[in-house]
Amino acid sequence: MEWPPNQISLKADSKILFLTKNLDLIKQQLYDGLELQMKSLEVEDLLDDINTDMMTPAWVCFDHKPEEIAKNAYAGLMHNGLRVFNENALKEGDFDIIVSGFRKGTGSSRETAAQCERWSGIRVVIAASFAPIHERNNINLGQIMGDHSMLERLQDGESIPLQEFTSKYDETTRKIVECGGLFAFSNQVAMGDVKLPKLENSQKPMTMTEKIISRNLVGLPSGTVVSPGDAVLAEVQGGYSHEFTTAQVHCFLAEEYGPNYSLPNPNKFAVFEDHLLYADHNPKFKPHMDKVQRLRDLQVEFQIHTGVRDYSAKDGVSPGICHQVAREEFIDIGDFIQATDSHTCMGGGSNALTWGVGSTEYSNLIYSGFTFVQVPESIRFELVGKLDEGCTAKDVILYILANHARKELTLDRAMEFGGVGLQGLSMDERATLCNMAAECSAKTGICEADQSTVDWILSRRTHLNEEDVVSASVKPDEGCEYGGGIHVIDLSIIRPMVADPGDPDQGIPADPTNGALVSEIGDVKINIAYGGSCTAGKVDDIAYYALVCQAAQNAGLKVAEGVNFYIQYGSGRVKTHAVEQGWHNLFLEVGVEVINPGCGACIGAGPGVSTSPEQVTVSAINRNFQGRSGPGSLYLASPLTVAASAFTGFISAFNNNLFTNV
């Protein structure tokens, strides 16, 4: 049947899968034929915060073909240590509709999460709300999304017009869905069969996000004003993919445009070998290393075929994590950047507009030379005051996750950071704030520029001059509209925090929004402390680890017995700086296991991954989703807290007197 139809209705044999917090009910639907009715359930009965790791864990993504990925849909949903969805369970269940609660698809930008449903036969996805990148991936695949009241009507036998499902979208997005997906839509635009709407906005103050989109518009006059909800075409200044995603990009382009396809501006884009460099350290990944090698080979093939910039590993050593290297080398003030990873938003610390997209969207934009953008609303965080001892930007974003993101204030909005408090944070700390906009289910994060921003860029771009850098910067216009409001955060009241592991067996997902003060969690004994990832492998993060390690060494301490403490550099530049400062040797002297640049334990691919459910990890990474970094319990924390905990053996906030009583 041609999809989508003009009317959406249920057939007599249509099946619906409700993802309930009672995981036994899911099993009964999958394996015993249980049928549920939306009218007999409350939204509170349905799983919230279903993350992309749950839908397609890392090892599932080693299969780059969607039909293979679908075989292990929801392999990350575990109950009492066992998979709820056995292999092929979703596909063989013949479900047409899948139903969940709030914030469906949080976490990674991996399009595989949407693909696992689409290639299992799901064509209608129902949820109370969707994480923005996941929602966009569904749109790009031609999936229909609706709410619970619509499902009740369908189960009552009503036929609902397609336009009712798409009326919430802008005109361009509606057309993408009606065409059956992004590739079909783009082809119709190229042939002139689909015309894009014109903007008729009057002059108004704009946010930083709106300003950068405005100056990159395609097909519209210079100076055209944009507003939230506007759907436009925009150029990007660059982008990148990594070995976890490039294979799909290469295959999608070859399938859509033929094996001899070419890119118009390959020098604007790059590939990185960083995510799977240490995959063989995880026993769970070892059986899949042939697939990992295939992903590496396809990325090399793509790079040679297209001529994009190459950041491959040399002699087994990566230049670093893509987000860190990108901000070091080519993300400039005022740029618009898109890449196939949700933490692309880290570039916003440099006053750039950056966000992650799925493989389909990235394939389309690097081939066509432009991207489709729906202008997001913004939410303003006005930072005042100064951080207290023992606190870092990680504690600030954990505070925002617990107090703002949990309430969906940041959902699908651009998080704009400013204020005198921001000026007191280093460039690396600003990058931390923007990096974890992804965990807030925000569209992106972006910081106002100041002299520190300009100086940081100029120190890494010898070909630029200060006048050009300053002129490229953006700041919000006075009186601009923040759909999410303006929120003042006094940094002086922030205290060291963690995000706890939740209780997935009871339907309470492990999630970065599970905020708690370190002072209130009691004595939590740890087995692993991990410092690294794009969030916490920057120069300033390494300096925090060194501060604690030096204090411990001065007190005659080494890493606590029974604890493994890992520090992994975010890039080659970061490692070089650590060596020059003497930090590298310090780490080794106090018992730290130091790891070369790259991704690692954050995605379960490297030293620092838990190996049993009983292990407890305190980690400076960005996500604590169930199973993402091993089967154990994982607490998110700041670099200072992670390092302090490694020496006490319990989750501990750092202060200058911490080790006097140890």
Side-chain angles (χ1 to χ4, degrees):
M1 181 184 73
E2 185 176 341
W3 190 266
N6 291 325
Q7 296 283 329
I8 307 297
S9 60
L10 298 182
K11 298 178 182 178
D13 60 349
S14 293
K15 296 177 66 178
I16 302 169
L17 179 62
F18 291 84
L19 300 177
T20 54
K21 291 176 181 174
N22 183 339
L23 302 185
D24 284 325
L25 287 180
I26 299 178
K27 295 177 184 177
Q28 292 176 44
Q29 294 174 82
L30 288 171
Y31 309 118
D32 300 329
L34 175 67
E35 295 185 5
L36 299 175
Q37 294 289 318
M38 188 65 230
K39 65 177 60 176
S40 65
L41 295 169
E42 301 292 335
V43 175
E44 291 74 21
D45 297 325
L46 300 169
L47 273 176
D48 298 323
D49 299 297
I50 292 177
N51 60 71
T52 53
D53 282 75
M54 182 187 296
M55 300 171 76
T56 51
W59 62 270
V60 174
C61 303
F62 297 158
D63 281 310
H64 63 283
K65 294 183 178 179
E67 59 270 23
E68 293 296 319
I69 290 165
K71 293 179 180 179
N72 284 295
Y74 284 87
L77 181 57
M78 308 294 288
H79 188 205
N80 296 326
L82 299 174
R83 285 175 59 169
V84 174
F85 285 73
N86 295 329
E87 186 172 322
N88 282 316
L90 184 59
K91 187 174 183 180
E92 292 177 354
D94 293 323
F95 296 100
D96 304 290
I97 300 176
I98 196 163
V99 191
S100 59
F102 289 92
R103 299 172 294 277
K104 170 71 175 293
T106 61
S108 170
S109 63
R110 61 183 70 165
E111 190 179 300
T112 54
Q115 292 166 1
C116 82
E117 293 182 337
R118 168 69 181 83
W119 269 265
S120 292
I122 302 293
R123 296 313 304 257
V124 179
V125 185
I126 302 293
S129 60
F130 294 87
I133 300 177
H134 184 69
E135 180 176 26
R136 201 72 206 178
N137 286 337
N138 272 319
I139 290 167
N140 292 337
L141 294 178
Q143 295 286 76
I144 304 299
M145 287 173 283
D147 59 33
H148 299 102
S149 63
M150 289 176 158
L151 178 58
E152 283 195 43
R153 291 163 57 193
L154 291 172
Q155 287 191 303
D156 285 340
E158 186 176 341
S159 177
I160 303 179
L162 174 63
Q163 64 185 24
E164 192 169 332
F165 285 88
T166 61
S167 61
K168 59 187 175 184
Y169 302 132
D170 61 88
E171 184 177 345
T172 299
T173 302
R174 288 199 301 271
K175 289 179 179 178
I176 292 173
V177 176
E178 291 165 0
C179 287
L182 183 59
F183 279 136
F185 171 76
S186 297
N187 289 335
Q188 291 194 34
V189 170
M191 292 186 293
D193 295 335
V194 171
K195 302 294 184 184
L196 297 174
K198 300 295 184 182
L199 295 185
E200 297 180 357
N201 295 333
S202 56
Q203 292 296 315
K204 70 173 187 65
M206 289 192 288
T207 65
M208 290 187 284
T209 299
E210 291 163 358
K211 282 186 170 182
I212 292 178
I213 293 174
S214 173
R215 68 189 189 193
N216 284 287
L217 293 174
V218 173
L220 292 170
S222 176
T224 298
V225 170
V226 298
S227 296
D230 287 343
V232 296
L233 298 183
E235 291 183 352
V236 296
Q237 278 68 58
Y240 51 91
S241 60
H242 50 68
E243 76 271 36
F244 230 142
T245 56
T246 302
Q248 279 204 342
V249 173
H250 188 35
C251 291
F252 287 178
L253 288 171
E255 289 170 3
E256 191 68 26
Y257 302 112
N260 296 321
Y261 77 89
S262 62
L263 305 184
N265 295 294
N267 60 312
K268 293 171 62 172
F269 304 99
V271 292
F272 285 87
E273 187 178 357
D274 61 346
H275 272 58
L276 301 176
L277 206 64
Y278 301 97
D280 61 349
H281 285 257
N282 187 340
K284 190 172 183 179
F285 287 177
K286 284 188 176 180
H288 307 288
M289 289 309 297
D290 58 332
K291 294 178 180 179
V292 171
Q293 188 57 49
R294 179 61 177 152
L295 294 179
R296 293 169 176 158
D297 293 342
L298 284 170
Q299 175 157 288
V300 171
E301 184 178 303
F302 170 79
Q303 192 280 322
I304 293 172
H305 179 90
T306 60
V308 298
R309 298 169 67 174
D310 187 12
Y311 290 93
S312 296
K314 306 297 182 186
D315 298 322
V317 179
S318 171
I321 304 171
C322 53
H323 314 299
Q324 173 65 12
V325 176
R327 66 187 283 263
E328 289 173 348
E329 298 205 1
F330 59 80
I331 296 179
D332 291 331
I333 287 178
D335 275 356
F336 186 22
I337 302 288
Q338 293 191 336
T340 58
D341 193 291
S342 58
H343 292 113
T344 303
C345 51
M346 180 170 166
S350 300
N351 192 232
L353 184 61
T354 60
W355 66 63
V357 296
S359 298
T360 295
E361 192 164 354
Y362 188 74
S363 301
N364 184 76
L365 75 91
I366 64 173
Y367 181 82
S368 64
F370 53 80
T371 186
F372 297 96
V373 176
Q374 183 178 25
V375 180
E377 288 187 342
S378 294
I379 179 171
R380 171 82 175 185
F381 290 96
E382 188 80 14
L383 306 185
V384 300
K386 183 178 180 181
L387 283 174
D388 198 23
E389 178 189 35
C391 291
T392 75
K394 182 66 168 288
D395 297 293
V396 178
I397 197 64
L398 287 174
Y399 176 88
I400 291 172
L401 276 157
N403 293 282
H404 299 81
R406 177 56 96 178
K407 300 173 185 177
E408 296 198 343
L409 298 178
T410 55
L411 182 64
D412 205 17
R413 289 180 168 133
M415 299 171 65
E416 301 199 353
F417 297 95
V420 294
L422 180 71
Q423 296 172 17
L425 297 180
S426 70
M427 290 297 293
D428 281 353
E429 289 283 75
R430 299 178 198 188
T432 297
L433 296 177
C434 292
N435 178 286
M436 290 189 66
E439 281 63 52
C440 295
S441 292
K443 187 71 172 180
T444 190
I446 182 172
C447 292
E448 286 189 21
D450 58 13
Q451 191 60 44
S452 294
T453 318
V454 175
D455 292 343
W456 192 88
I457 290 291
L458 288 175
S459 70
R460 289 155 178 81
R461 311 282 192 276
T462 56
H463 64 286
L464 298 178
N465 62 64
E466 183 166 353
E467 182 179 351
D468 290 338
V469 171
V470 171
S471 65
S473 66
V474 292
K475 62 180 180 180
D477 290 329
E478 186 175 349
C480 65
E481 182 178 352
Y482 290 100
I486 300 174
H487 304 264
V488 178
I489 295 181
D490 184 353
L491 299 181
S492 68
I493 69 169
I494 301 294
R495 293 295 177 265
M497 292 188 68
V498 296
D500 69 50
D503 190 354
D505 284 338
Q506 300 302 317
I508 304 172
D511 192 81
T513 61
N514 297 337
L517 295 175
V518 173
S519 61
E520 296 179 351
I521 63 174
D523 291 335
V524 179
K525 185 175 175 56
I526 66 166
N527 307 100
I528 299 169
Y530 177 84
S533 79
C534 54
T535 312
K538 308 179 296 298
V539 166
D540 283 4
D541 303 311
I542 306 301
Y544 284 134
Y545 304 134
L547 172 67
V548 178
C549 288
Q550 187 63 67
Q553 188 181 61
N554 292 345
L557 299 177
K558 292 200 172 190
V559 172
E561 184 176 354
V563 175
N564 293 314
F565 183 16
Y566 302 90
I567 291 177
Q568 186 167 21
Y569 299 117
S571 73
R573 285 191 182 190
V574 174
K575 180 180 179 180
T576 297
H577 186 77
V579 171
E580 292 172 347
Q581 295 296 316
W583 300 338
H584 184 86
N585 285 338
L586 169 65
F587 298 148
L588 297 176
E589 290 168 1
V590 296
V592 178
E593 182 174 337
V594 185
I595 312 168
N596 275 326
C599 287
C602 180
I603 55 169
V609 175
S610 62
T611 56
S612 71
E614 294 74 29
Q615 289 181 307
V616 176
T617 300
V618 62
S619 178
I621 65 175
N622 37 49
R623 291 175 182 154
N624 59 341
F625 299 153
Q626 183 186 24
R628 179 177 173 91
S629 190
S633 298
L634 192 151
Y635 290 79
L636 299 179
S638 76
L640 286 176
T641 298
V642 167
S645 305
F647 292 98
T648 64
F650 296 85
I651 296 181
S652 308
F654 178 71
N655 64 71
N656 289 326
N657 299 314
L658 176 65
F659 298 133
T660 59
N661 298 316
V662 175

